[in-house]
């Protein structure tokens, strides 16, 4: 806000009080802007009325001049909030750019109120203390209706009338030009489509005469060209202007810009953040591609401000941020909601216990009929205990029931959190890897028709990097230590100048700009580091066959883990509020007799904070040669009410809730969603190897040595030499979920699940198991767009940039799945069929690292291997050969 704003002229409105409600009417023939909804239980009626049974209401403003207001509304400059409290009218705030009212010093208000004694007129004059100070204007007396009839500005009436006249005649201020141009311009999507079509003139030429074609034919042809495999949608289209007398940009005087953790220097948040630039201003045949942040750093270091607008744009560019996959915990909870008839009361058990009706959400009693041999004390000793499953769990593995939804695990799991023990259920004896080419009838045979053979496996850590698990734990403890420092610093000095720990901001009921009492901030307790689950269960079936290699077989497997490993613990809001009230009563006394006076002093302040990014609008000839105005980068504007000052801190005694630790609280335990087992199933890829093959162990070692950024997805794009087009910064390899080998000290069992008898004979060979993320299917080069081909090639270049050789670059070792991974499954399915079936936002990965090795510090020694792998994918991208 600051110097850009002052209080404005307005308004005609009417209020009618009806019992405890406030009904507000307004003229539907004008253009209105709703600035804030009522506090609670709002109902926006089709009759264009708001009924608000709360202490205050939001009123719609009708300004002096429709054109004047319309422009203000587009700029989000006018805010008018009116409230009725105890039958008194409060006008809180009206804002307008100061350029339009430079002489405002005070405001005269004429208010008429209808009472039993007749009509009373009251005048109020408000002096402007500061452009950002809230106006508390009280007018009227206890009555049934109010009507604010006139507002007038004192000290600047001629100037205001002049401004209104200019606007009414269409004479707009320069401050409006960019916004109006943005509204008149074609959209950013249309801008990029014109760029794409212009660049595709030779790769995807037009097959009709656009000058004589009908609009329908033009639209169809544009769609065909935009969706074609040969049409690129990712390229650099901007040029950075150079000072004719500027210095040369060389590798020696280069500066680094914004980068993702992979360390690649050319990173941009959007395609608009890359540029083509002359290294020397007078040598127009020597061009290079760079990022805006890198160029801006160089320009500022060398005093070149010729392209100041580009420098400012680069400074506004957002920082790289990690993009996480769609939350696995939320997907698990969604899958649990699909299950009907959930209950802790099993069939035949009855609904009564100890003389009272038992609810479905009630956990098993200390003594249960179904477990007569022991006391069923909650929580069970293991989340896999039979008593830990409500009906209808546990579900049969690999069932085809439509509501049995199992999400694919795609989140990063630190090695510290991987279970040390894995119980593998293998009725088809797939682990022996003897003859895994089962007939189709075996693939569809129900799990219940096979004896459940189980084997006990143990987690094997890296031999080359034995501290891998310890380093993972140190990383988690470091994150927790940072959160703890934030919490301690805030508790020592509870002020808005310090970072806020995890907690709740409890503000005043009616937060207005200006001075205020300190709000309450409830600091939640620290969350303990979640220990790794002692065991997990893996279910293998030929129905999950994904693929075979020369030495391996891969299956989609069901992995059953402790639910607490994947689903976040929660805090009950109601418990938190009740605990807060108790703590305040303990500190202040029941009647406030011990309350510290500082909590009632206006030591804090609510400030209106405005953030705005200027839109970028430009002109360009469209495909038909017509000059058009386009929105290159949309503007952004937000106005928020932010608190500055001290807080009253309440350290909550409410703990995070986890059913594996104890029952849910009384507020949430009656919800159907709280009826769930203590485990959750997810899909993973289980890779097995033939006897005597060492590739699987080597691959597992590599996964435990790869840098963290190999598994991460970051925002924006990279440009990787020799490729010239930007590519997404997605994960490079599948997520790693552990390498398991047979525990020779424990015998395998056979029989019904959880009720097996010891087997004296074990197969001569049981394959080790490498658990990975299922990243989709092998690519078909004929189905890829030119952008997809470039992205696939970039995976190999990124691997080399990090100092690794793959050892087997081939189409079979590049897989893809619909993306982006951060989207929900339904959105990803839609993306799969976008672009006329070509798809968009695919997620690509390299796989099969059994022959891979690190060459860090030995790049020159392995230069031949690097060139061999890179030439294969480069020639494929450039259309010189097929990918083998």
């Amino acid at each position: 806000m600051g110097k850009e704003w002052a209080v404005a002229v307005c308004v005609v409105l009417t209020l009618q009080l009806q019992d405890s409600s406030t009904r507000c009417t307004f003229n539907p023939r004008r253009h209105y802007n709703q600035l804030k909804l009522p506090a609670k239980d709002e109902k926006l009626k089709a009759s264009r009325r708001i009924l608000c049974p709360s202490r205050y209401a939001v009123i719609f403003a009708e300004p002096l001049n429709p054109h004047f207001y319309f422009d203000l509304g587009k700029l989000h400059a006018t805010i008018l909030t009116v409230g009725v409290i105890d039958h008194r009218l409060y006008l809180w705030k009206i804002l307008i750019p100061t350029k339009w009212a430079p002489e405002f010093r005070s405001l005269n208000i004429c208010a008429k109120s209808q009472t039993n004694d007749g009509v009373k007129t009251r005048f109020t004059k408000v002096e402007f203390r500061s452009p950002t100070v809230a106006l508390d204007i009280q007018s009227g007396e206890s009555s049934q209706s109010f009507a604010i009839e006139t507002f007038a500005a004192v000290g600047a009436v001629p100037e205001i009338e002049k401004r209104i006249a200019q606007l009414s005649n269409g004479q707009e201020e320069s401050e409006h030009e960019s916004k109006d141009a943005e509204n008149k311009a074609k959209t950013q999507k249309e801008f990029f489509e014109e760029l794409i079509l212009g660049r595709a003139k030779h790769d995807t030429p037009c097959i009709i005469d656009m000058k004589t074609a009908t609009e329908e034919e033009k639209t169809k042809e544009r769609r065909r060209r935009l969706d074609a495999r040969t049409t690129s949608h990712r390229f650099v289209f901007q040029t950075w202007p150079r000072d004719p007398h500027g210095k040369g940009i060389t590798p020696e005087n280069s500066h680094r810009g914004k980068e993702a953790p992979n360390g690649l220097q050319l990173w941009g948040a959007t395609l608009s953040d890359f540029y083509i630039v002359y290294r020397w201003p007078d040598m127009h045949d020597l061009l290079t591609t760079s990022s805006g942040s890198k160029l801006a750093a160089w320009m500022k270091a060398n005093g070149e401000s010729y392209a100041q607008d580009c420098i400012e744009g680069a400074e506004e560019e957002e920082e790289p941020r990690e993009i996480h996959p769609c939350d696995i915990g939320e997907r698990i909870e969604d899958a649990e909601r699909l299950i009907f008839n959930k209950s802790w009361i099993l069939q035949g058990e009855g609904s009564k216990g100890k003389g009272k009706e038992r609810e479905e959400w009630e956990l098993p009693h200390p003594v249960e009929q179904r477990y007569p041999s022991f006391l069923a004390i909650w929580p069970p000793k293991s989340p896999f205990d039979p008593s830990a499953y409500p009906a209808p769990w546990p579900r049969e593995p690999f069932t085809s029931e439509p509501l049995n939804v199992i999400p694919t695990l795609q989140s990063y799991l630190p090695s510290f959190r991987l279970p040390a023990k894995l119980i593998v259920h293998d009725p088809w004896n797939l682990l022996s890897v003897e003859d895994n080419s089962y007939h189709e009838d075996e693939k569809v045979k129900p799990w219940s028709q096979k004896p459940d053979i189980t084997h006990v496996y143990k987690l094997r850590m890296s031999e080359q990097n034995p501290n891998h698990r310890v380093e993972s734990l140190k990383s988690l403890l470091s994150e927790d230590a940072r959160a703890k420092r934030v919490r301690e610093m805030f508790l020592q000095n509870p002020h808005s100048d310090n970072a806020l720990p995890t907690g709740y901001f409890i503000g005043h009921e009616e937060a207005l700009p200006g001075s205020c009492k300190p709000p309450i901030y409830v600091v939640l307790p620290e969350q303990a580091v979640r220990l790794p689950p002692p065991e997990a269960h893996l279910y293998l079936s030929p129905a999950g066959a994904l693929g075979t290699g020369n030495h391996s077989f891969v299956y989609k497997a069901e992995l059953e883990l402790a639910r607490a490993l994947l689903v976040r613990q929660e805090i009950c809001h109601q418990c938190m509020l009740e605990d807060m009230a108790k703590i305040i009563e303990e500190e202040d006394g029941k009647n406030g007799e011990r309350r510290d006076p500082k909590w009632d002093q206006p030591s804090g302040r609510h400030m209106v904070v405005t953030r705005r990014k200027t839109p970028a609008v430009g002109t360009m000839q469209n495909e038909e040669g017509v000059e058009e105005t386009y929105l290159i980068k949309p503007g952004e504007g937000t106005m928020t009410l932010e608190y500055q000052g001290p807080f009253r801190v309440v350290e909550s005694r409410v703990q995070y809730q986890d059913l594996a630790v104890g029952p849910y609280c009384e507020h949430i335990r009656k919800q159907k969603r709280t009826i769930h087992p203590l485990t959750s199933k997810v899909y993973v890829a289980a890779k097995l190897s033939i006897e005597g093959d060492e590739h699987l162990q080597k691959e597992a070692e590599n996964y435990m040595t790869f840098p963290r950024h190999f598994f991460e997805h970051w925002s924006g794009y990279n440009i990787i030499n020799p490729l010239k087009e930007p590519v997404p910064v997605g994960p490079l390899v599948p997520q790693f979920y552990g390498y398991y080998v047979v525990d020779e000290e424990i015998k395998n069992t056979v029989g019904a699940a959880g009720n097996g008898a010891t087997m004296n004979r074990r197969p001569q060979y049981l394959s080790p198991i490498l658990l990975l993320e299922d990243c989709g299917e092998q690519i078909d080069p004929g189905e890829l767009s030119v952008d997809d081909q470039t992205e696939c090639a970039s995976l190999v270049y990124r691997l080399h940039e990090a100092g690794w050789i793959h050892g087997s670059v081939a189409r079979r070792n590049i897989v893809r799945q619909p993306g982006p991974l951060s989207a929900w499954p339904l959105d990803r399915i839609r993306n799969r069929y976008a672009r006329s079936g070509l798809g968009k936002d695919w997620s690509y990965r390299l796989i099969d690292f059994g022959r891979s090795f690190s060459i860090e510090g030995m790049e020159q020694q392995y230069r031949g291997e690097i060139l061999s792998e890179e030439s294969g994918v480069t020639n494929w991208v450039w259309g010189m050969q097929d990918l083998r």
Side-chain angles (χ1 to χ4, degrees), residues 453-456 746-750 757-763:
I453 302 174
T454 62
H455 306 278
V456 179
I746 302 178
K747 295 181 179 181
N748 57 312
T749 61
V750 62
T758 301
M759 251 185 97
N760 294 322
R761 186 180 65 83
R762 169 183 283 165

Side-chain angles (χ1 to χ4, degrees), residues 633-799:
K633 188 179 290 187
E636 296 179 10
T638 59
M639 184 179 293
T640 58
L641 194 64
E642 298 184 0
Y643 175 74
Q644 294 180 1
F647 289 97
R648 178 174 186 178
V649 170
V650 172
E651 290 189 69
S652 180
R653 298 169 295 199
V654 175
Q655 297 299 313
Y656 290 90
Q657 301 196 41
D658 182 356
L659 195 59
V661 177
Y664 286 116
C665 71
E666 60 180 348
H667 302 116
I668 65 175
R669 66 188 179 191
K670 296 183 181 181
Q671 302 177 28
K672 277 286 187 179
R673 68 178 181 85
T674 62
I675 302 177
H676 59 73
L678 303 186
T679 64
S680 297
K681 280 187 177 181
V682 291
Y683 281 129
V684 295
K687 190 172 184 179
L688 315 179
S689 65
I690 62 175
E691 188 172 6
D693 180 66
E694 297 180 354
H695 287 90
L696 195 65
Q697 182 178 352
K698 174 66 174 176
E699 184 171 9
E701 285 284 351
N702 287 334
Y703 273 104
M704 289 183 277
T705 310
F706 285 153
R708 173 72 181 268
H709 66 79
F710 273 24
F711 304 95
E712 296 174 339
H713 182 193
W714 285 80
S715 62
Y717 302 86
N718 278 140
I719 295 180
I720 310 170
N721 192 49
L723 306 174
K724 302 302 180 185
E725 290 77 27
V727 292
V729 194
L732 187 59
V733 302
Q735 300 293 342
F736 170 70
Y737 298 126
Y739 179 61
Y740 291 88
V741 296
V742 176
D743 190 338
E744 299 291 348
E745 298 179 0
I746 302 178
K747 295 181 179 181
N748 57 312
T749 61
V750 62
N755 188 27
T758 301
M759 251 185 97
N760 294 322
R761 186 180 65 83
R762 169 183 283 165
Q764 291 184 348
Y765 173 72
L766 290 175
S767 169
I769 304 172
L770 176 61
L771 296 183
L772 301 168
E773 173 192 0
D774 178 11
C775 294
E777 302 174 348
Q778 171 187 316
I779 64 168
D780 179 354
E783 296 179 353
L784 304 184
S785 68
V786 291
D787 291 328
D788 293 332
Q789 292 177 354
T790 303
E791 186 172 352
C792 290
S794 74
L795 301 179
V796 178
Y797 287 109
R798 285 174 56 190
L799 190 72

Side-chain angles (χ1 to χ4, degrees), residues 50-64:
I50 289 184
L51 184 62
C52 173
S54 61
R55 290 190 61 202
Y56 69 96
V58 172
I59 309 305
F60 291 79
E62 178 183 344
L64 295 176

Side-chain angles (χ1 to χ4, degrees), residues 282-433:
D282 55 349
M283 298 180 66
H284 291 185
D285 57 344
L286 191 57
L287 295 170
T288 190
T289 302
S290 189
S291 66
S293 61
K294 186 175 172 65
L295 287 172
W298 189 94
M299 298 297 166
K300 290 191 287 187
N302 290 274
E304 184 175 320
S305 58
Y306 189 78
Q308 185 62 30
D309 57 335
C310 293
I311 296 174
E312 293 174 357
E315 291 174 343
E316 291 182 353
E317 179 188 16
E318 69 176 25
E319 296 289 332
R321 56 184 174 83
E322 186 176 0
I323 300 176
H324 298 281
C326 183
D327 190 283
I328 186 67
E330 292 184 20
R331 292 197 59 192
I332 288 171
E333 290 176 320
D334 283 350
E336 292 170 347
R337 290 188 182 97
L338 294 175
I339 306 299
F340 296 101
N341 301 321
K342 296 182 291 185
S343 174
W344 286 102
I345 307 171
L346 299 189
Q347 186 175 3
E349 191 178 299
S351 61
K352 292 187 178 182
K354 292 193 173 182
K356 69 169 186 176
E357 190 76 14
R358 184 167 163 206
E359 301 288 347
E360 293 179 338
W361 52 265
E362 287 189 72
L363 297 172
H365 284 260
V367 179
E368 287 288 354
Q369 298 175 5
R370 51 179 167 159
Y371 313 119
S373 60
F374 66 98
L375 293 178
I377 301 175
W378 197 269
K381 294 181 180 180
S382 167
F384 298 95
D385 191 284
S387 65
Y389 291 93
W393 286 281
R395 311 302 292 270
E396 181 177 308
F398 294 93
T399 181
S400 58
E401 295 179 22
L403 296 182
N404 185 33
V405 178
I406 299 178
T408 298
L409 183 60
Q410 296 180 308
S411 305
Y412 175 79
L413 280 186
S415 60
F416 167 72
R417 287 190 174 146
L418 299 178
K421 179 180 177 181
L422 185 68
I423 310 298
V424 184
H425 301 254
D426 183 25
W428 282 268
N429 196 26
L430 300 179
L431 291 170
S432 63
V433 198

Side-chain angles (χ1 to χ4, degrees), residues 585-650:
E585 183 176 322
E586 292 169 4
E587 294 178 356
D588 295 356
K590 190 172 183 180
N591 298 314
E593 60 272 12
R594 297 190 303 272
R595 183 178 177 86
D596 194 324
K598 67 181 180 181
W599 303 135
D600 297 316
Q601 297 175 358
S603 54
R605 187 176 188 80
H606 282 111
M607 303 291 292
V608 178
V609 179
T610 302
R611 297 177 178 88
R612 177 176 296 176
K613 288 185 180 180
T614 306
V617 180
T619 59
M620 180 179 66
Q621 285 189 351
N622 63 16
E623 195 178 12
E624 300 176 28
V626 179
E627 191 85 2
E628 295 274 13
T629 301
Y630 294 93
L631 176 64
I632 301 173
K633 188 179 290 187
E636 296 179 10
T638 59
M639 184 179 293
T640 58
L641 194 64
E642 298 184 0
Y643 175 74
Q644 294 180 1
F647 289 97
R648 178 174 186 178
V649 170
V650 172

